[in-house]
Amino acid sequence: MASIAPSRRTLILASTSPYRRELLARLRLPFSVIAPGVDETPLPGETPPALALRLARAKARAISQAHPGALVIGSDQVATLGDSPIGKPGDFGRALEQLRAMRGRTVTFHTAVAIDDGQRQASDTVLTRCTLRTLSDAALRAYLHAEQPYDTAGSAKAEALGIALMERIDSDDPTALIGLPLIALTRMLATFGMDPLDAPDGAQA
């Protein structure tokens, strides 16, 4: 007698990021996307890694409370240069300032991911260290005009032309830099009974 596939739990990505949506789609699990609406203001004295982890957990919890039984994924990323956080530049001028400050130095990206089903929560944080080449202002301007990465913390999209700015990238989870650590996430999903390799191919909900 053929075995009956177990019923699949609803999977929700608590994010408005198109990058995280594209990454999660790689796992070929059906999922929906809901904006978490979480205040991302840092708490007084909060460190960048603590901020990333708190926000990832808060995003997952915010949606899981309204969708009992669903597996909700939350993620957040904070980049730091030395002890200072680096945000999204928003425009060309601020992006150029960021890249000038970063050239020849190492930027650390703290990428946190959490899963919440309303009863329990799992979370993890992945560090990615990016060392930038020492490039001229002309090269930095050429990159910014070509890619316009103004919605990206650190002003460089390593998954695209921004890789040309890099001297090296060190991480245990290569997709963490883009915004969602899929190795950590797959491991965590398995603890909730959802493994992409056990499921038939699914289309994104």
Side-chain angles (χ1 to χ4, degrees):
M1 178 182 295
S3 60
I4 300 174
S7 59
R8 183 151 301 284
R9 301 176 73 177
T10 299
L11 185 64
I12 301 173
L13 176 62
S15 176
T16 58
S17 166
Y19 308 111
R20 292 192 177 103
R21 183 171 184 160
E22 291 171 5
L23 287 170
L24 184 55
R26 294 186 190 182
L27 299 185
R28 299 190 179 187
L29 294 168
F31 68 95
S32 56
V33 178
I34 301 176
V38 169
D39 181 0
E40 300 189 11
T41 304
L43 300 176
E46 190 171 34
T47 65
L51 171 63
L53 187 58
R54 177 177 64 82
L55 292 180
R57 291 170 172 170
K59 291 173 183 179
R61 179 55 54 90
I63 301 302
S64 69
Q65 290 177 338
H67 298 268
L71 293 184
V72 182
I73 299 167
S75 187
D76 196 80
Q77 183 183 80
V78 180
T80 56
L81 180 62
D83 295 328
S84 301
I86 301 175
K88 299 175 183 178
D91 60 34
F92 177 89
R94 283 189 284 269
L96 183 58
E97 288 179 6
Q98 282 190 352
L99 292 181
R100 282 172 171 164
M102 292 160 50
R103 58 186 165 192
R105 301 177 66 185
T106 297
V107 179
T108 301
F109 291 82
H110 310 265
T111 309
V113 60
I115 300 178
D116 195 314
D117 68 355
Q119 303 209 350
R120 69 184 180 100
Q121 188 177 81
S123 58
D124 198 2
T125 301
V126 176
L127 295 184
T128 304
R129 294 179 175 87
C130 298
T131 302
L132 276 72
R133 298 166 60 198
T134 302
L135 296 169
S136 66
D137 279 5
L140 299 181
R141 288 191 181 96
Y143 167 69
L144 293 175
H145 286 307
E147 195 145 72
Q148 301 181 17
Y150 309 138
D151 64 345
T152 301
S155 305
K157 294 183 179 180
E159 69 274 22
L161 182 59
I163 197 69
L165 303 177
M166 304 297 168
E167 185 71 37
R168 62 181 294 154
I169 296 176
D170 298 295
S171 181
D172 292 331
D173 203 330
T175 62
L177 182 57
I178 310 174
L180 187 65
L182 292 182
I183 293 175
L185 176 61
T186 300
R187 182 174 61 246
M188 291 162 57
L189 283 170
T191 68
F192 284 85
M194 184 178 288
D195 190 326
L197 298 181
D198 290 340
D201 288 351
Q204 180 177 314

